[in-house]
Amino acid sequence: MALREILVVPHPVLKQVSKPVAVVDDALRALMDDMLETMYEAPGIGLAAVQIGVPQRVIVMDLARQEEPPQPRYYVNPEILWASEETAPYEEGCLSVPEIYDEVERPARVKLRYLNYQGEQIEEDAEGLFAVCIQHEMDHLEGVLFIDHLSRLKREQAIKKVKKGVKAA
Ligand code: NI
């Protein structure tokens, strides 16, 4: 496994639409292992492959609490089959938009279909933090960041702040 560099705004690759994965093989599992290690190191609870500069439809996630053992999750070619009309707000952040947090409103519950680490097709219902996180990560696959859900003013302020922070570091 290896740590990868996480791209931050306004890196143009973050705006790319990610391509479907053809086959879940050892090379893809190696990518997912690197993504997970990079996410834990950051630390974060979700990461899309495009955030490390690989525009493929792959997401890793771990929503376990600090005192719980790790619960890595892998989503390849995820699709949303259904989304509730009811929405819920949540204060989101993103490893590609460091230090910025703001409220985004999304469907409260979704039904997903995806391939797991072994390449098996899974259907799963998501609610709460899981629903927020999978929708946030799936946005990345379309080149959409959570700040794209905010007003233009807030988005521009966020990018400015990140640029300043990166320069200062
Ligand atoms: Ni993100």
Side-chain angles (χ1 to χ4, degrees):
M1 293 207 278
L3 283 179
R4 308 283 200 104
E5 189 194 343
I6 297 176
L7 306 179
V8 298
V9 286
H11 198 292
V13 170
L14 293 169
K15 304 305 290 177
Q16 282 188 24
V17 176
S18 294
K19 294 206 162 56
V21 170
V23 57
V24 180
D25 56 10
D26 286 345
L28 191 80
R29 280 186 279 270
L31 170 70
M32 293 194 279
D33 292 345
D34 283 358
M35 287 170 63
L36 197 74
E37 189 183 357
T38 302
M39 182 191 82
Y40 284 145
E41 167 74 20
I45 59 171
L47 188 74
V50 69
Q51 293 180 271
I52 58 162
V54 181
Q56 291 194 48
R57 302 184 84 81
V58 181
I59 289 164
V60 297
M61 197 185 292
D62 191 331
L63 304 177
R65 292 168 202 277
Q66 236 173 354
E67 66 275 15
E68 293 176 330
Q71 292 162 26
R73 308 173 184 215
Y74 309 88
Y75 302 90
V76 178
N77 297 342
E79 293 170 80
I80 291 191
L81 303 176
W82 172 86
S84 66
E85 270 178 44
E86 185 200 343
T87 61
Y90 193 88
E91 191 171 72
E92 298 187 16
C94 179
L95 295 175
S96 294
V97 195
E99 314 282 318
I100 306 290
Y101 302 90
D102 214 325
E103 199 168 87
V104 178
E105 187 99 18
R106 301 182 187 272
R109 292 180 307 282
V110 294
K111 189 179 185 69
L112 305 170
R113 181 162 62 203
Y114 60 93
L115 303 176
N116 67 10
Y117 194 79
Q118 280 76 35
E120 300 157 338
Q121 186 174 286
I122 310 281
E123 285 189 14
E124 196 171 7
D125 294 312
E127 62 178 355
L129 180 59
F130 179 26
V132 171
C133 197
I134 193 69
Q135 291 179 83
H136 172 118
E137 299 309 329
M138 285 180 68
D139 267 357
H140 277 297
L141 308 184
E142 305 305 322
V144 174
L145 298 162
F146 84 95
I147 53 172
D148 293 321
H149 292 281
L150 309 177
S151 68
R152 198 175 114 188
L153 180 67
K154 279 189 170 181
R155 180 164 55 251
E156 285 171 356
Q157 280 175 342
I159 292 172
K160 219 184 204 173
K161 260 194 205 165
V162 172
K163 274 186 176 167
K164 233 180 173 175
V166 168
K167 231 177 268 167

